């Protein structure tokens, strides 16, 4: 085995579990679920060490969602230093192509091979250190990024698992099904399906509207014999939180000069997140994930 | 013990040389040396030679096919799930409402084709004849091509890397018997990657009339849309305007409007202003739009009196006006 060691496997040796968040469809909430998962795992224990890697290279959302837009990556003798969402505590490490851009509105126009190289570098050159969980946010589809991830992590395949996010509409479920077929083809164990944006409570009269329908995710899970992790209704507070994560006081950019201050402020993000109704619903989902991870991984090791 | 590694320099995805013009796509980009911004840059020759590729042999065939297509319109958004496919379908139906107008829809979302479902033709297959692959017709004057028609089952995932996707897109343009079209609408996946580069490169010669950019009101979507507009500028595609989708929701119970995707940074209006573009209109969130898409029926026909239909039709009229087809 030692001879097979790669720069990626050397880094990933220190990482206990890797959770890949995916969905065939765009905009169903992969990035927001990844961010919530990372926050909830961080909060699950005072010593939990979590990483979040954003491999959506042409549409990175994680920096914004975690209030870290404008931060940059530094280089050290042990590799690139990730951006820590919790500042000095350094238990929530983030990496995204968004941190490498000089101007945030620049488009990254890359074909597959460049994406492949970047993902390899994210896995081999980032000083993740010891992590209990590495959450990976992916772009929609089943293409270069997904294939590259699996290829580069082949040596740690027994520590990989996936969470599939969908919304309730048929068009989304169809793509979620494709995503599930993908996980089966590449033998990636699935922790379960999350149905996002399922129902909306009118803030005025309290009536529940199924703005994007409801229930399809659970049906799919039952039909396909995959665990159903839960439903997350439309939460407008969450949208605002993830949108303006720089803090209610607004203006971003200028904060980037004082990383500590803005890191601290962004970690008020966790406190604010914990006050949303989504956080309460996410907690049992995260408990199930933490509980099933070892089981899923050990069954993956059986030939 | 942590194995000591050679420190690798943190890359700049754009790596813009100091002597490059403002809109330099970056020397690592697929567009290096080829974008509109590169014209006149001192590095152009070196940058262009980094990607040595002769002209694609498909190009003359594409030019031939496209010579009978009057207008080519892209529907784009950096962000996923904002309603690109839904808008493309509505636009197709609206154009095809005039029986003298021939419309084609080409779905280049290879990994997540939604167009067949939205148009209610998901179970159809593509047939080939001596004149090429025949599109699937929703009605006489609305032909559609999508990878969805080529899969044995909708459960199948297409796990293709870029080059295979590009190959299929080139086939959609050269091998499909589109016939004579007034409009060819292209639905794209989110992002700025292989599919987008390919469609732009393949259609460059025949000319793209413009792109309609779709967004939702929240900043997480807008930031991706700004990147998409930056892409359009780099490759020299005219942006016809911006459409804001899922703006505001009217509760069927109490009729009060609330914002689900709150425009925390000013929404599409501010984005359009900042980028010097026209806001073509705002479509509200209406659960019946999602239902219609799932059942494959035209929302415009099913709910002609809804505010969303009015919004859609105004936008479509404005697009025709901008194109000079009104
Ligand atoms: N439960 C929810 N309620 C309300 N809004 C939500 C919910 N989940 C996500 N959103 C919002 O929906 C938008 C899309 O979500 P997100 O960006 O996480 O999707 P995605 O699947 O990562 O999209 P992409 O395919 O573009 O990467 C975001 O603005 C997000 O804040
Ligand atoms: N105004 C609207 N109100 C309610 N639902 C809508 C609206 N517009 C689109 N939808 C629904 O939202 C979902 C996403 O729309 P659509 O599939 O058109 O987005 P897309 O941008 O093409 O997504 P992708 O990035 O995955 O290609 C669909 O289920 C669609 O029916
Ligand atoms: S030729 Fe284009 S890509 Fe190369 S440096 Fe100049 S502007 Fe940038
Ligand atoms: Mg995302
Ligand atoms: Mg689509």
């Amino acid at each position: 085995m030692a001879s097979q060691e790669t720069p990626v496997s050397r880094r990933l040796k220190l990482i206990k579990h890797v959770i890949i968040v995916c969905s065939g469809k765009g905009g169903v909430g992969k990035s927001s679920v990844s961010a919530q998962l990372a926050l909830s795992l961080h909060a699950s224990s005072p010593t939990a060490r979590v990483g979040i890697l954003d491999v959506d290279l042409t549409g990175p959302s994680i920096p914004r969602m975690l209030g870290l837009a404008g931060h940059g990556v530094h280089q050290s003798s042990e590799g690139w230093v990730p951006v820590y969402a919790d500042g000095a505590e350094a238990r929530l490490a983030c990496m995204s192509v968004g941190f490498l851009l000089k101007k945030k509105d620049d488009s990254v126009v890359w074909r597959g091979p460049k994406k492949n190289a970047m993902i390899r570098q994210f896995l081999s050159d980032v000083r993740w250190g010891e992590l209990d969980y590495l959450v990976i946010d992916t772009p929609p589809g089943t293409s270069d990024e997904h294939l590259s991830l699996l290829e580069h992590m082949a040596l740690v395949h027994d520590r990989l698992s996936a969470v599939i996010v969908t919304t309730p509409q048929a068009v989304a479920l169809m793509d979620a099904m494709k995503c599930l077929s993908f996980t089966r083809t590449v033998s990636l164990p699935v922790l379960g399906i999350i149905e996002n944006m399922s129902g909306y409570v009118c803030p005025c009269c309290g009536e529940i509207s199924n703005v994007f329908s409801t229930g399809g995710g659970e049906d799919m899970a039952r039909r396909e014999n995959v665990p159903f992790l839960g439903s997350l209704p439309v939460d407008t507070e969450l949208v605002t939180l993830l949108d303006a994560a720089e803090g209610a006081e607004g203006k971003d950019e200028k904060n980037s000069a004082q990383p500590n201050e803005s890191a601290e402020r962004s970690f008020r993000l966790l406190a604010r997140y914990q006050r949303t109704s989504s956080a309460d619903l996410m907690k049992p989902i995260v408990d199930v994930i933490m509980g099933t991870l070892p089981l899923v991984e050990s069954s993956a090791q059986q030939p | 013990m942590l194995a000591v590694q050679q420190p690798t320099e943190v890359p700049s995805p754009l790596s813009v040389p100091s002597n490059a013009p403002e809109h330099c796509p970056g020397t690592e980009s697929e567009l290096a040396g080829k974008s509109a911004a590169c014209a006149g840059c001192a590095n152009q020759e070196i940058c262009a030679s980094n990607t040595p590729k002769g002209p694609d042999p498909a190009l003359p065939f594409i030019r031939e096919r496209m010579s009978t297509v009057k207008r080519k319109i892209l529907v784009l958004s950096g962000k996923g799930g904002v309603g690109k496919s839904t808008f493309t379908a509505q636009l197709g139906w609206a154009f095809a409402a005039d029986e003298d107008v021939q419309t084609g829809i080409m779905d280049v979302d290879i990994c997540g084709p939604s167009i067949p479902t939205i148009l209610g033709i998901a179970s159809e297959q593509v047939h080939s004849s001596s004149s090429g692959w025949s599109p699937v017709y929703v009605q006489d004057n609305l032909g559609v091509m999508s990878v969805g028609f080529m899969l044995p089952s909708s459960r199948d995932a297409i796990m293709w890397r870029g080059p295979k996707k590009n190959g299929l897109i080139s086939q959609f343009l050269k091998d499909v018997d589109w016939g004579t079209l007034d409009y060819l609408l292209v639905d794209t996946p989110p992002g700025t990657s292989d599919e987008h580069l390919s469609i732009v490169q393949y259609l460059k010669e025949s000319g793209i009339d413009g792109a309609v950019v779709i967004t939702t009101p929240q900043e997480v979507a807008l930031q991706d849309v700004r990147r998409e507009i930056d892409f359009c500028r780099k490759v020299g595609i005219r942006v016809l305007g911006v459409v804001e989708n899922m703006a505001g929701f009217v509760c069927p119970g109490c009729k009060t409007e609330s914002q689900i995707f709150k425009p925390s940074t000013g929404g599409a209006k501010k984005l359009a202003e900042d980028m010097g573009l026209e806001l073509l209109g705002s479509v509200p969130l209406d659960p019946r739009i999602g239902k219609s898409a799932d059942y494959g029926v035209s929302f415009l026909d099913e709910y002609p009196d809804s505010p969303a239909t009015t919004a859609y039709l105004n936008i479509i009229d404005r697009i025709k006006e901008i194109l000079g087809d009104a």
Side-chain angles (χ1 to χ4, degrees):
Chain A
M1 263 324 249
S3 61
Q4 280 190 332
E5 209 173 65
T6 64
V8 173
S9 71
R10 226 173 289 140
R11 290 277 184 201
L12 297 191
K13 236 189 328 208
L14 305 170
I15 300 178
K16 293 204 186 97
H17 309 284
V18 179
I19 305 171
I20 301 174
V21 179
C22 54
S23 81
K25 178 94 185 123
V28 296
K30 291 172 293 297
S31 304
S32 48
V33 165
S34 303
Q36 297 187 69
L37 201 54
L39 289 171
S40 307
L41 287 167
H42 178 278
S44 69
S45 124
T47 55
R49 301 179 58 91
V50 183
I52 182 164
L53 170 61
D54 180 0
V55 301
D56 192 339
L57 305 175
T58 64
S61 307
I62 293 298
R64 178 104 208 168
M65 288 185 169
L66 291 178
L68 302 171
H71 282 253
V73 167
H74 302 281
Q75 198 177 306
S76 78
S77 57
E78 284 170 13
W80 310 346
V81 185
V83 176
Y84 289 98
D86 53 348
E89 229 189 308
R91 290 200 290 119
L92 182 50
C94 312
M95 183 53 68
S96 165
V97 84
F99 298 138
L100 306 174
L101 294 173
K102 290 204 183 65
K103 282 194 289 176
K104 70 177 169 37
D105 297 343
D106 278 333
S107 57
V108 175
V109 189
W110 285 353
R111 289 194 186 265
K114 272 296 292 185
K115 294 193 201 172
N116 186 40
M118 186 79 245
I119 290 173
R120 192 184 56 236
Q121 285 199 291
F122 276 158
L123 295 170
S124 63
D125 294 349
V126 174
R127 195 194 70 186
W128 291 106
E130 282 189 41
L131 293 180
D132 296 299
Y133 306 96
L134 177 64
V135 178
I136 303 187
D137 179 22
T138 64
T142 48
S143 189
D144 287 287
E145 294 83 346
H146 307 81
L147 295 169
S148 297
L149 266 180
L150 287 159
E151 186 184 300
H152 296 313
M153 296 200 290
L155 287 180
V156 292
H157 195 95
D158 57 0
R159 270 176 272 155
L160 308 184
S161 53
V163 169
I164 295 179
V165 183
T166 186
T167 50
Q169 308 95 317
V171 281
L173 290 162
M174 214 176 68
D175 289 355
M177 188 59 230
K178 288 181 191 292
C179 182
L180 183 60
S181 298
F182 169 80
T183 61
R184 287 173 174 159
T185 310
V186 299
S187 329
L188 179 63
V190 174
L191 294 167
I193 295 176
I194 295 178
E195 178 173 298
N196 193 25
M197 306 202 208
S198 162
Y200 172 58
V201 183
C202 171
C204 182
C205 68
E207 176 160 319
I208 298 175
S209 301
N210 291 323
V211 283
F212 298 118
S213 160
T214 190
E218 189 162 9
D219 293 345
M220 172 178 159
R222 198 178 312 116
R223 201 175 54 243
E224 296 298 327
N225 204 13
V226 177
F228 181 66
L229 294 171
S231 306
L232 300 170
V234 170
D235 178 356
T236 53
E237 243 180 295
L238 180 73
V239 180
T240 312
L241 184 78
L242 297 175
D243 235 22
E246 273 86 4
E249 34 306 68
K251 292 305 129 219
D252 39 2
E253 257 64 69
K254 282 148 231 142
N255 296 335
S256 58
Q258 302 118 319
N260 284 331
E261 188 202 328
S262 81
E264 237 169 67
R265 170 178 319 174
S266 95
F267 238 53
R268 275 187 248 148
L269 174 70
L270 177 61
R272 278 164 64 211
Y273 171 62
Q274 287 175 323
R275 287 194 293 271
T276 64
S277 55
S278 293
D280 296 336
L281 294 167
M282 199 65 195
K283 192 160 181 310
I285 294 180
V286 171
D287 288 344
V288 171
I289 289 177
M290 290 195 302
T292 47
L293 265 173
L295 305 172
V296 169
E297 290 167 350
S298 71
S299 69
Q301 280 166 338
Q302 321 286 307
Chain B
M1 197 196 83
L2 189 72
V4 180
Q5 292 200 324
Q6 277 299 91
T8 353
E9 206 186 321
V10 178
S12 156
L14 296 173
S15 44
V16 175
S18 54
N19 62 346
E22 189 190 356
H23 291 292
C24 167
T27 53
E28 297 294 332
S29 165
E30 284 291 330
L31 297 171
K34 289 186 258 174
S35 91
C38 299
C41 171
N43 310 323
Q44 192 171 17
E45 211 170 309
I46 316 167
C47 287
S49 66
N50 271 348
T51 38
K53 251 201 287 157
D56 191 310
L59 282 175
F61 298 101
I62 292 175
R63 195 188 317 135
E64 177 65 29
R65 283 277 186 210
M66 290 297 123
S67 64
T68 52
V69 176
K70 199 163 139 222
R71 297 218 181 277
K72 299 160 215 78
I73 302 171
L74 309 185
V75 179
L76 297 172
S77 171
K79 181 72 186 152
V82 295
K84 293 176 290 299
S85 305
T86 312
F87 186 81
T88 311
Q90 302 300 347
L91 198 57
W93 264 311
F95 283 149
D98 179 345
E99 56 188 41
D100 295 330
V101 172
Q102 294 294 324
T103 304
I105 295 181
M106 182 169 116
D107 179 5
V108 301
D109 192 338
I110 312 284
C111 293
S114 320
I115 286 289
T117 307
I118 298 180
L119 290 170
I121 46 176
S123 54
E124 301 290 329
Q125 297 278 309
V126 170
H127 300 283
S128 65
S129 72
S130 56
S131 51
W133 303 352
S134 151
V136 173
Y137 284 90
V138 184
Q139 56 193 58
D140 282 348
N141 60 345
L142 182 56
V144 185
M145 185 50 66
S146 165
V147 74
F149 302 135
M150 308 167 75
L151 294 174
S153 148
S154 70
R155 303 162 59 97
D156 294 335
I158 297 204
M159 298 183 277
W160 286 0
R161 290 190 179 271
K164 284 203 75 172
K165 296 199 258 186
N166 303 331
L168 187 68
I169 293 172
S170 126
Q171 286 193 287
F172 277 2
L173 290 167
K174 79 177 163 59
D175 294 337
V176 174
D177 180 17
W178 290 105
T180 301
L181 291 181
D182 295 289
Y183 296 97
L184 178 64
L185 311 176
V186 183
D187 181 26
T188 63
T192 47
S193 190
D194 284 281
E195 296 86 340
H196 309 80
L197 280 163
S198 296
I199 193 80
V200 169
Q201 281 171 7
Y202 291 137
L203 287 181
K204 189 102 208 186
E205 241 181 282
S206 321
I208 295 172
D209 292 87
V212 179
V213 175
I214 319 282
T215 187
T216 49
Q218 76 277 33
E219 176 58 27
V220 168
L222 297 173
Q223 62 171 3
D224 284 356
V225 170
R226 285 189 204 100
R227 295 185 186 116
E228 194 76 30
I229 294 170
D230 180 55
F231 167 78
C232 289
R233 298 204 160 139
K234 280 179 185 166
V235 296
I237 301 180
R238 170 184 183 203
V239 177
L240 299 173
V242 179
V243 172
E244 183 171 58
N245 192 23
M246 308 194 195
F249 171 67
V250 176
C251 170
C254 66
K255 307 290 175 215
T256 310
E257 178 168 339
S258 55
Q259 301 290 332
I260 290 188
F261 299 119
K262 204 171 146 204
S264 62
T265 55
K269 182 163 178 286
K270 174 94 183 344
L271 170 115
E273 273 167 27
D274 290 351
M275 308 216 65
L277 295 171
E278 175 172 343
L279 178 62
L280 298 170
S282 249
V283 180
L285 207 155
D286 185 333
R288 295 172 303 180
I289 295 180
K291 285 249 163 53
S292 303
D294 282 1
Y295 291 121
V297 295
S298 161
F299 175 79
L300 301 180
D301 290 346
E302 297 286 311
Y303 304 99
D305 302 324
S306 72
T309 295
T310 313
Y312 270 128
L313 292 177
N314 287 339
I315 292 168
I316 292 165
D317 284 345
R318 185 64 197 132
I319 291 175
K320 284 193 195 158
E321 242 171 70
I322 294 174
L323 290 169
D325 295 349

